[in-house]
């Protein structure tokens, strides 16, 4: 019989995972059975690094041993023998949550909520002691009779996760239950444990992991970009799960918020409606933060279907931008002052012309002059305009007439409303277009343009709007990005506004089906190749921790490009 540290007699194997083997053993000193977790040293370390590793394990195990919560597996001792570390723990002979789901399928909502509350209590105790679990998942939750639970492996992932002992930048954990910020290089925190709890509860109620895929890379991509959809429950439990799975860590449910939702009575509508199950519970491995695919792709490189008319297109109103109609009193007053000033210049010019022109028109006398000053007070819708592609319908001026220049037009000033998050994408210098439409070549037919404008919400989401598809309530105007074509023409494709299902995030797409999400409306038509004879700029889809947004900057203002939609006029 094998005896570890002269005290723990190993009897049989209870299980093994990514971080070691668990044995049943007899404590010959106290006379009780314990669980003995054998942790082999990380590969490739020796000498001083091995000593550092052993000290780290001891320190983390001591800290975990101080946790006092009914839902925490108690750590009794840590011993080393022949270079291998053993953590002596409370023996819990019960199936894991992963085992229960595999045997029984998706669990009832009330059971899931009860388990969630107990694990939440264990995490709260650990976080108060300065411990982050780092590896919350179904196979680390033991389910005892009466649905009492025990959360195991506190401190072990932390002990194994030393950049000096493993590959630089690695983080220990199970990829399918790791928060998105970990893949971007952030350190584990209480918020990452709460994300893992949300993924675990999703697994329990749906019978499958929300993000686990066939490969680690595919799993990481799903965590960063996919939106999990609950199909078997709703009500408070669904709200708690989705709140724990919020992408930005700062908007994620806190312990108090999750406890309040999980403590609510389960509504009659909150029920399991399907018994199918798929258990995917990957072992704990080391995962490295990687850069996302930032290569811009042309629209024709996408797999979206060709643009086709909608079966029943929704009526689109091409009215002026409501934000422009509801401008502040201050800007309105400023505009009135500018209009009055312009009118005064016209009147003074006319009076000077009357007094300087003599009936005879002799030598040294001014000849009659005609002015091309625009009508005072005439206005154009700021976001929708017929471009001057053809000669004006106004009668031509006399060939003998000279021109009196008017004052230069006043540039449009874009004001960003308050409430923008601190880390929102910001347009780089020179990227913000002016508020007047581009004049196309004279040999082209007249076309109607609509201005495309970016908005943001204080909570993070962005929305690209046109007059026909205004931004939702609560979104603040950022800046105009250019001009789309209102009507279809050769070399253009429809651009759609979309709302991601199960999320507050918005995005723009050239796919009528919004890539599986909900279409909000048709923004207009974008050029699929760079148009000739007019100024244009690429329009790109970008991502950051708060979701999707559009930009005319090929580098996405320092964030992550996905692909290029096409070209807008500027």
């Amino acid at each position: 019989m094998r005896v570890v540290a002269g005290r723990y007699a190993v009897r049989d194997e209870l299980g093994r995972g990514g971080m070691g083997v668990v044995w049943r053993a007899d404590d010959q000193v106290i006379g009780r059975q314990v669980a003995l977790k054998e942790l082999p040293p990380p590969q490739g370390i020796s000498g001083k690094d091995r000593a550092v590793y052993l000290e780290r394990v001891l320190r983390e195990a001591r800290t975990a041993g101080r946790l006092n919560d009914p839902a925490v597996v108690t750590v009794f001792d840590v011993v080393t023998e022949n270079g291998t570390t053993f953590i002596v723990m409370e023996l819990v002979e019960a199936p894991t949550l992963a085992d229960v789901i595999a045997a029984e399928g998706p669990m009832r909502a009330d059971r899931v909520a009860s388990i969630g509350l107990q694990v939440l209590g264990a995490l709260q105790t650990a976080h108060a002691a300065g411990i982050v679990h780092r590896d919350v998942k179904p196979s680390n939750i033991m389910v005892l009779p009466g649905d009492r639970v025990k959360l195991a492996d506190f401190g072990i992932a932390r002990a194994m996760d030393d950049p000096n002992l493993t590959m630089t930048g690695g983080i220990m954990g199970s990829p399918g239950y790791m928060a998105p910020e970990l893949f971007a290089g952030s350190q584990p925190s209480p918020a990452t444990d709460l994300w893992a709890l949300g993924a675990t509860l999703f697994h329990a109620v749906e019978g499958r992991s929300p993000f686990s895929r066939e490969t680690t890379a595919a799993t990481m991509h799903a965590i960063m970009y996919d939106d999990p959809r609950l199909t078997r429950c709703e009500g408070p439990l669904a709200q708690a799960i989705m709140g724990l799975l919020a992408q930005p860590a700062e908007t994620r449910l806190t312990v108090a918020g999750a406890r309040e939702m999980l403590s609510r009575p389960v509504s009659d509508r909150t029920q399991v409606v399907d018994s199918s199950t798929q258990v995917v519970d990957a072992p704990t491995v080391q995962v490295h933060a990687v850069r996302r695919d930032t290569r811009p792709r042309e629209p024709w490189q996408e797999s979206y279907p060709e643009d086709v008319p909608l079966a029943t297109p929704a009526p689109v109103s091409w009215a002026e931008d409501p934000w422009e109609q509801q401008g502040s009193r201050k800007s309105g007053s400023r505009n009135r002052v500018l209009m009055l000033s312009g009118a005064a210049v016209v009147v003074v010019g006319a009076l000077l012309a009357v007094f300087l022109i003599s009936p005879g028109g002799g030598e040294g006398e001014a000849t009659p002059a005609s002015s091309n000053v625009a009508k005072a007070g005439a206005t154009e819708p700021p976001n929708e305009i017929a471009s001057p592609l053809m000669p004006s319908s106004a009668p031509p001026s006399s060939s003998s007439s000279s021109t009196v220049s008017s004052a230069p037009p006043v540039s449009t000033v874009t004001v960003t409303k308050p409430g923008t998050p601190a880390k929102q994408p910001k347009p780089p210098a020179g990227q913000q277009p002016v508020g007047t439409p581009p004049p196309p070549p004279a040999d082209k037919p007249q076309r109607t343009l609509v201005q495309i404008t970016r908005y943001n919400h204080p909570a993070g989401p962005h929305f690209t709007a046109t007059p026909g598809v205004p931004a939702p309530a609560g979104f603040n105007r950022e800046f105009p990005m250019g001009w789309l074509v209102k009507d279809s023409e050769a070399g253009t494709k429809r651009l759609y506004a979309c709302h991601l299902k199960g999320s507050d995030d918005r995005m723009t797409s050239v796919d009528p089906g919004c890539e599986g999400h909900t279409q909000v409306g048709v923004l207009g038509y974008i050029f699929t190749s760079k148009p000739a004879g007019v100024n244009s700029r690429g329009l790109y889809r970008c991502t950051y921790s708060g979701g999707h947004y559009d930009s005319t900057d090929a580098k996405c203002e320092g964030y992550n490009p996905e692909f290029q939609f096409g070209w807008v006029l500027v």
Side-chain angles (χ1 to χ4, degrees):
M1 178 181 294
R2 179 185 179 191
V3 178
V4 175
R7 173 173 179 175
Y8 303 104
V10 177
R11 294 171 57 90
D12 55 356
E13 181 180 321
L14 294 175
R16 62 178 60 224
M19 288 192 297
V21 183
V22 181
W23 306 93
R24 184 202 308 272
D26 292 327
D27 184 344
Q28 297 178 331
V29 174
I30 298 181
R32 64 181 174 188
Q33 287 194 337
V34 296
L36 198 65
K37 185 147 195 174
E38 180 179 357
L39 299 177
Q43 295 182 355
I45 71 168
S46 60
K48 182 179 178 181
D49 287 341
R50 181 183 293 269
V52 171
Y53 163 74
L54 293 176
E55 177 58 31
R56 190 186 191 107
V57 172
L58 289 170
R59 182 173 66 249
E60 295 299 326
R62 292 189 195 104
T63 304
R66 293 198 298 267
L67 298 181
N68 184 17
D69 188 276
V72 173
V73 174
T74 305
V75 174
F76 296 138
D77 194 6
V78 182
V79 297
T80 59
E81 186 171 87
N82 299 325
T84 299
T85 303
F86 296 86
I87 297 182
V88 185
M89 300 178 292
E90 170 188 7
L91 177 63
V92 180
E93 296 191 90
T96 67
L97 181 59
D99 296 333
V100 174
I101 298 169
E104 303 177 7
M107 302 174 69
R108 297 193 320 271
D110 56 342
R111 293 185 68 193
V112 175
S114 173
I115 290 172
L117 281 171
Q118 295 177 70
V119 177
L120 192 66
L123 292 176
Q124 185 175 22
T125 299
H127 296 164
I131 297 177
V132 177
H133 189 284
R134 297 179 171 225
D135 201 19
V136 177
K137 59 180 180 179
S139 61
N140 274 340
I141 299 174
M142 317 294 291
V143 182
L144 286 74
D147 281 346
R148 292 185 302 112
V149 302
K150 292 277 190 178
L151 181 58
D153 279 359
F154 267 104
I156 294 179
R158 174 74 173 109
M160 299 285 287
D161 186 19
D162 186 340
N164 295 321
L165 304 177
T166 56
M167 296 178 66
T168 301
I171 298 174
M172 297 300 297
S174 301
Y177 303 89
M178 294 174 68
E181 59 266 27
L182 295 176
F183 299 120
S186 297
Q187 290 300 308
S189 67
T192 62
D193 276 353
L194 293 176
W195 167 281
L197 174 60
T200 298
L201 298 183
F202 185 107
H203 189 160
V205 79
E206 292 286 320
R208 60 181 177 85
S209 171
F211 303 108
S212 291
R213 303 293 187 266
E214 292 182 358
T215 65
T216 299
T219 297
M220 293 168 65
H221 185 277
I223 290 173
M224 301 297 290
Y225 296 109
D226 291 359
D227 296 307
R229 297 180 59 190
L230 286 165
T231 61
R232 297 178 173 87
C233 78
E234 56 186 21
L237 178 59
Q239 295 171 10
I241 293 173
M242 298 311 297
L244 291 169
L245 291 177
Q247 278 271 0
E250 58 272 14
T251 65
R252 200 166 296 156
L253 270 183
T254 62
V255 169
R259 183 183 300 281
E260 193 274 331
M261 288 186 180
L262 292 175
S263 299
R264 294 179 188 176
V266 176
S267 68
D268 294 336
R269 295 184 302 166
T270 306
Q271 54 184 335
V272 173
V273 297
D274 196 318
S275 60
S276 62
T277 182
Q278 175 191 2
V279 177
V280 181
D281 192 15
T284 301
V285 297
Q286 185 184 38
V287 178
H288 297 272
V290 297
R291 292 182 60 82
R292 304 176 192 173
D293 182 6
T294 59
R295 295 172 297 175
R297 296 181 292 276
E298 305 295 345
W300 53 82
Q301 294 174 313
E302 296 301 310
S303 59
Y304 306 147
E306 290 298 321
D307 185 28
V308 294
L310 296 176
T312 55
V316 178
S317 171
W318 301 92
E320 295 183 2
D321 190 335
W323 191 87
E324 294 287 353
Q325 294 175 344
Q326 301 172 6
S328 65
R329 292 184 179 180
K330 182 176 180 181
S331 61
S333 300
R334 180 169 61 251
N335 292 337
R336 286 194 293 273
V337 170
L338 292 172
M339 291 170 59
L340 291 174
S341 300
V345 171
V346 174
V347 172
V348 172
L351 290 174
L352 290 174
V354 169
F355 285 108
L356 292 175
I357 298 172
S358 66
E363 183 179 355
E365 297 173 343
T367 57
S370 63
S371 171
N372 66 348
V373 177
K375 296 178 182 179
T379 59
E380 285 280 3
N383 290 332
E384 177 182 339
I385 189 162
S387 299
L389 303 179
M390 297 179 64
S392 173
S393 60
S397 60
S398 172
S399 60
S400 62
S401 300
S402 62
T403 300
V404 177
S405 299
S406 64
V410 179
S411 298
T412 300
V413 178
T414 302
V415 179
T416 301
K417 297 184 179 180
T420 303
K423 294 187 178 180
Q424 291 278 1
K426 299 295 181 184
Q431 286 294 326
Q432 191 165 325
V434 297
T436 55
D443 59 344
K444 298 293 182 181
Q446 183 171 348
R447 61 163 67 104
T448 302
L449 304 181
V450 290
Q451 194 170 64
I452 182 170
T453 304
R454 193 169 87 185
Y455 289 75
N456 69 59
H457 192 280
H462 287 71
F463 188 81
T464 297
T466 56
V469 187
F475 279 74
N476 303 316
R477 181 185 174 110
E478 283 194 284
F479 59 90
M481 294 185 289
W483 303 80
L484 298 174
V485 183
K486 177 183 176 182
D487 302 310
S488 176
E489 62 179 75
T492 64
K493 179 182 283 285
R494 269 181 178 163
L495 194 64
Y496 302 90
C498 310
H499 187 178
L500 274 65
K501 295 179 180 179
S503 169
D504 291 331
D505 191 22
R506 314 294 176 120
M507 73 178 185
T508 307
S509 179
V510 292
D511 173 25
C514 280
E515 306 164 39
H517 298 285
T518 302
Q519 186 194 124
V520 176
V522 179
L523 297 169
Y525 288 81
I526 189 169
F527 288 89
T528 56
S529 60
K530 189 174 181 61
V534 291
N535 292 330
S536 62
R537 183 182 294 160
L539 183 67
Y540 303 86
R541 182 196 282 173
C542 311
T543 62
Y544 77 121
S545 60
H548 299 79
Y549 66 98
D550 299 335
S551 178
T552 53
D553 176 24
K555 296 182 179 179
C556 282
E557 303 153 37
Y559 288 85
N560 304 300
E562 280 196 16
F563 59 85
Q564 181 178 350
F565 294 110
W567 280 263
V568 296
L569 302 183
V570 295

